Amino acid sequence: MRLLLPVLAGALLLSACGNDAGVSPDPGESGGSPAADVTGTWGDVDNPDAPSLDFSPDGRVSGTDGCNRLMGHWSISGNHVTLRDMATTLMACPPGMDTWLAAGAAADVDVDGGALRIYDQAGTEIGVLER
């Protein structure tokens, strides 16, 4: 028990040193421009059959491709969003349903902040979600 307490305390201290996944570096530190605001919902969240994403300030992302639930983590640099550790449910979707959002790996926020362009692993644009 005496050894366990210092190990747990050290682990807690190390975990406190990490930063939130969704928080971008201070532009003054990185020399870049301020990060776009991606937090909040994108897509038609009132329609359960439409793709949508919700970006939480804590770096988590969740949503739907219109059939399956999506979840993972995000980070941003400038207007470029990286999606990582993405997972999805594997429901049998109706024939013809376009589940493009499940292939999302990255996104760019348009200059006006009204659209989120989604890209697959190869960097090909696969769709757009609007605010």
Side-chain angles (χ1 to χ4, degrees):
M1 183 69 168
R2 287 185 186 197
L3 180 60
L4 183 59
L5 199 51
V7 169
L8 287 174
L12 284 173
L13 285 173
L14 284 175
S15 67
C17 292
N19 64 351
D20 289 338
V23 177
S24 64
D26 178 10
E29 292 176 14
S30 64
S33 60
D37 183 16
V38 73
T39 56
T41 57
W42 296 84
D44 186 358
V45 294
D46 294 328
N47 179 357
D49 295 331
S52 65
L53 289 174
D54 181 37
F55 291 86
S56 297
D58 67 358
R60 295 174 196 227
V61 61
S62 61
T64 180
D65 63 5
C67 178
N68 287 289
R69 299 287 308 152
L70 309 167
M71 68 233 50
H73 295 91
W74 66 275
S75 59
I76 190 167
S77 178
N79 72 332
H80 184 74
V81 180
T82 301
L83 303 173
R84 65 182 195 291
D85 304 327
M86 296 300 289
T88 183
T89 59
L90 298 173
M91 304 267 301
C93 302
M97 178 171 262
D98 187 2
T99 57
W100 61 269
L101 188 54
D108 286 331
V109 180
D110 281 354
V111 176
D112 66 1
L116 187 69
R117 300 188 177 285
I118 310 291
Y119 302 92
D120 64 12
Q121 288 283 31
T124 303
E125 184 177 317
I126 56 175
V128 177
L129 296 175
E130 297 189 7
R131 278 257 192 216

